[in-house]
Amino acid sequence: MEVAADDETSFAVQELLATRWAVAPADRTTHEPGEPGVRLRCHLDMRQHA
């Protein structure tokens, strides 16, 4: 799970991770009322060779 200030930042980090590992991308973020930022859940396969 990734936490970021906004959707744009969250998706940029997801894209960066996808350049290194296999990523099951997420297409939306969630926001908890009363908490700062947004959350994005994506699944990484870190077993891949660079």
Side-chain angles (χ1 to χ4, degrees), residues 16-39:
L16 179 66
L17 293 172
T19 65
R20 177 94 177 158
W21 295 296
V23 174
D27 59 353
R28 67 182 178 86
T29 59
T30 58
H31 173 75
E32 294 293 326
E35 295 205 10
V38 296
R39 294 179 185 265

Side-chain angles (χ1 to χ4, degrees), residues 1-2 4 8 10 12 20 24-27 29-30 36 41 43 45 50:
M1 175 142 358
E2 168 202 337
E8 184 178 308
S10 189
R20 177 94 177 158
D27 59 353
T29 59
T30 58
R41 183 177 300 248
H43 300 277
D45 183 357

